[in-house]
Amino acid sequence: MQSITSVRLTSRLPLTFNHATRKSQIVSRFSTTAPRLDYEHIIVSTPVPGVRQVTLNRPKALNALFTPLILEVNDALKAADSDDEVGAIVITGGQKAFAAGADIKEMKDKTFAEVYKHSFIRNWSDATQIRKPLLAAVNGYALGGGCELAMMADIIYAGEKAVFGQPEIKLGIIPGAGGTQRLTRLIGKSRAMEYILTGKTFTAKEALEWGLVSAVHPVDTLVDEALKTASLIASHGRLAVQAAKEAVNYGTQVGLDQGLLYERRLFHSLFATKDQKEGMSAFAEKRAAVFKGE
């Protein structure tokens, strides 16, 4: 089990984060709801104020996904989502692998009746129900379920050596946690069809060119960059951030007219918040806003 390292955090956003901080389980003095420290397959930390980090931690298996790990991820994400001190979440893995796919040992002997009756892997998509912004920092392999998990995030940053793909076809199956649907929406039908049907992988550079990821960073600084972006998001009004995420996600599921109406209704609703009054007053008075999520 990882040791618990206590670090002193300041109110100023740090520009860099050392590896010891990222690998340790940190209970931030800014958080009213301390993250659990007894997970077996993940590490949960609060490396900077307002940001919860969830690190997949099965290095010997290249962070292969299986139900016990997914249940821990879901628990950690839900805890962060309900913590008023958390404004954004970063999920990451190791430098060799974000998650190199699903653990085939868990799946190979299952029957149709078993997986259908118990809706196997349905809860692998629970990350999409998190209301706070979720950033994925992807180093190394993000294959199969790992690619699907990354695509559940709102923002994906990739390390320059990251490798993406949906190679399930090589195992006699297809993606089952959103790969055929999300990849198609993110990079287009023809390209997604090619990679899903062939099982080929693609690089971080290609993922950036195709719009799957927002940015590509050096391997050593990837998580730092994700944390800095998450910290910036967390510094804004929590209600507005949540509404913005909701509007974007809703708009991807409906037509333009419905999306525009929904956006306008959320825009109107924010005028009932104290954060809107504070944000606009602060702008007019040329001072920094102090948002309270109210």
Side-chain angles (χ1 to χ4, degrees):
M1 186 172 179
Q2 297 287 325
S3 61
I4 302 173
T5 301
S6 176
V7 297
R8 188 173 182 178
L9 301 176
T10 66
S11 59
R12 183 181 300 174
L13 175 63
L15 296 179
T16 60
F17 308 84
N18 60 47
H19 292 293
T21 296
R22 288 206 298 269
K23 292 180 180 178
S24 301
Q25 295 172 312
I26 305 159
V27 181
S28 171
R29 64 183 174 87
F30 295 89
S31 179
T32 57
T33 305
R36 276 179 53 189
L37 301 177
D38 60 343
Y39 293 115
E40 183 178 357
H41 306 295
I42 64 174
I43 298 171
V44 179
S45 60
T46 307
V48 290
V51 179
R52 185 66 49 80
Q53 180 175 327
V54 178
T55 304
L56 309 184
N57 188 39
R58 294 187 73 204
K60 293 182 179 179
L62 294 179
N63 291 333
L65 305 179
F66 71 146
T67 299
L69 181 149
I70 292 295
L71 292 177
E72 291 188 353
V73 168
N74 290 345
D75 183 78
L77 293 180
K78 290 173 184 176
D81 208 29
S82 63
D83 187 341
D84 290 340
E85 298 299 322
V86 175
I89 308 164
V90 172
I91 185 167
T92 190
Q95 290 193 352
K96 290 184 178 180
F98 174 74
D103 194 330
I104 305 305
K105 293 179 181 179
E106 181 184 21
M107 298 184 178
K108 67 182 183 67
D109 295 324
K110 290 186 179 297
T111 65
F112 167 76
E114 182 180 359
V115 297
Y116 183 75
K117 179 179 180 180
H118 299 291
S119 195
F120 179 53
I121 78 171
R122 180 177 181 178
N123 59 0
W124 287 34
S125 297
D126 283 5
T128 61
Q129 303 305 309
I130 300 303
R131 302 180 74 184
K132 293 176 181 176
L134 177 62
L135 291 78
V138 178
N139 263 323
Y141 296 109
L143 305 177
C147 186
E148 290 172 310
L149 178 60
M151 290 191 293
M152 295 177 203
D154 303 302
I155 299 171
I156 306 174
Y157 282 179
E160 57 191 357
K161 296 182 180 180
V163 178
F164 298 87
Q166 298 290 164
E168 288 89 346
I169 202 75
K170 297 179 180 180
L171 301 174
I173 57 172
I174 66 171
T180 63
Q181 305 302 302
R182 294 191 179 93
L183 190 63
T184 301
R185 286 165 170 76
L186 290 168
I187 69 173
K189 177 185 174 182
S190 180
R191 186 173 285 131
M193 190 75 80
E194 176 185 355
Y195 282 87
I196 290 169
L197 294 183
T198 64
K200 296 190 303 183
T201 61
F202 53 93
T203 66
K205 181 180 178 181
E206 290 170 322
L208 179 63
E209 292 173 352
W210 302 340
L212 179 66
V213 307
S214 298
V216 175
H217 296 285
V219 171
D220 291 339
T221 62
L222 171 68
V223 177
D224 296 347
E225 294 296 334
L227 289 172
K228 284 193 284 186
T229 298
S231 295
L232 178 58
I233 293 171
S235 72
H236 299 313
R238 304 288 168 80
L239 295 175
V241 167
Q242 183 173 307
K245 171 174 175 172
E246 185 176 329
V248 171
N249 284 338
Y250 183 79
T252 63
Q253 306 299 320
V254 299
L256 179 59
D257 287 343
Q258 290 175 280
L260 290 171
L261 177 61
Y262 195 75
E263 175 194 72
R264 190 161 58 250
R265 290 292 179 260
L266 287 173
F267 169 76
H268 291 160
S269 70
L270 290 170
F271 281 78
T273 68
K274 294 180 181 178
D275 277 358
Q276 176 267 332
K277 302 297 184 292
E278 167 63 14
M280 293 191 174
S281 295
F283 180 83
E285 296 166 10
K286 298 182 179 180
R287 62 175 175 82
V290 180
F291 297 114
K292 297 182 179 180
E294 299 175 351

